[in-house]
Amino acid sequence: MSVSSGARGVGGDGADGPTRRRRSPSPVLLLISPSVIFMLLLFAWPMVSGILQAFQTPGGYGLENITRMVTDPQFVPAVRNTVLLIIVLLPLQFALALVMAFLLQAKPKLQGLHFYIWAVPIAVSDLAAGLVWLSIFTDRGFLNSALNHVGVGPILWLSYQKPVLEFATIICAEVWRATSLVMVIIVSGMQGIPKDYDEAASVFGAGFWDRLRYVWLPLLRPSMQVALILRTILAFQTFAVAQALTGLNFPLLVGETYRFYTQLQNPNVAAALALVVMLVSMAFAFLYLRLLRDDTNQAAR
């Protein structure tokens, strides 16, 4: 009796101990639970609701909203303008951001002041940036006033009859507004590169372009990957600057989402447009992760 009681006692202690340990909340779970709850409430649930709303019809679920979106006369121009904006904008911004980052890397006089001046556009909202550039490019704006003094113009920069000039003004405003974001990411990536690599390449006679190609750009790949994903997603969301400069003359996908939701009072088609933007953004992010992945660690294993 006593033995069996002891066995039960020992077995009971041995069984209860792990049970109590399993039931106690893990510190890791406690630490990540706020982030998980945050993502579920503010990302997963709105995303699922938006996807359901995109296919929701008066009779249940179907493709009517997708058909309405595709057959809208503004849909094709909006897709074309959005893609064209990204194709032209991203290479320009990355080239300028690299130049700015290397100029800062050379440690000129007043380096900190240069950095803060170049980073100022990050603090300016999209709509405010659009209004600033509207005051420059409008028919009686600062640029035409300056051109009048030298006997040129006025030039109708924002006329719908001159789509090339209209597109150039949007590119100019977007380059000013968002290049600094890419620059900050690249500069932060440069801080993690040991100077030994660059010095060693210089000792072996590598010029600037060789060091850029074989030292800096490969080591900046993780930062470039982050900047590309972030900037592409934000480029798909470009709306306020184009809206402030051109109104509805230059339709974009996000602008069409806004138009369907506010003017046409059709949130289902707006959700379908938002779904297109989300899927294309995710496709580009996946493509960047595949193209710019670093296989060095896998090869070393």
Side-chain angles (χ1 to χ4, degrees), residues 163-183:
V164 176
L165 280 181
E166 196 179 48
F167 181 70
T169 57
I170 295 173
I171 289 290
C172 187
E174 274 295 307
V175 165
W176 176 83
R177 187 187 66 81
T179 300
S180 52
L181 175 64
V182 183
M183 180 203 69

Side-chain angles (χ1 to χ4, degrees), residues 66 69 75 79 236 253 271-281:
I66 304 296
M69 173 188 73
F75 178 72
V79 173
F236 272 108
L253 277 175
L273 282 160
L275 180 61
V276 171
V277 173
M278 185 187 73
L279 291 177
V280 176
S281 300

Side-chain angles (χ1 to χ4, degrees), residues 125-137 142 240-241 243-245:
S125 70
D126 294 1
L127 185 58
L131 294 175
V132 168
W133 284 96
L134 178 64
S135 67
I136 295 173
F137 284 118
F142 294 114
V241 170
Q243 182 81 12
L245 286 174

Side-chain angles (χ1 to χ4, degrees), residues 130-206:
L131 294 175
V132 168
W133 284 96
L134 178 64
S135 67
I136 295 173
F137 284 118
T138 191
D139 297 349
R140 296 183 179 180
F142 294 114
L143 184 56
N144 275 331
S145 298
L147 290 175
N148 282 333
H149 285 292
V150 294
V152 179
I155 299 175
L156 303 179
W157 301 96
L158 302 176
S159 171
Y160 71 93
Q161 295 176 334
K162 297 181 178 178
V164 176
L165 280 181
E166 196 179 48
F167 181 70
T169 57
I170 295 173
I171 289 290
C172 187
E174 274 295 307
V175 165
W176 176 83
R177 187 187 66 81
T179 300
S180 52
L181 175 64
V182 183
M183 180 203 69
V184 169
I185 295 174
I186 293 177
V187 167
S188 64
M190 283 182 166
Q191 306 305 314
I193 298 177
K195 295 181 179 177
D196 299 347
Y197 294 110
D198 190 49
E199 292 173 356
S202 299
V203 168
F204 284 101

Side-chain angles (χ1 to χ4, degrees), residues 27 39 44 47 56 59 63 78 102 105 117 135 142 148 156 158 172 183 192 201 218 228 230 235 237 263 275 297 300:
M39 292 294 290
M47 184 179 70
Q56 193 172 25
L63 298 177
F102 279 107
Q105 188 72 7
I117 290 176
S135 67
F142 294 114
N148 282 333
L156 303 179
L158 302 176
C172 187
M183 180 203 69
L228 262 176
L230 190 60
Q237 299 172 5
Q263 296 181 9
L275 180 61
N297 294 332

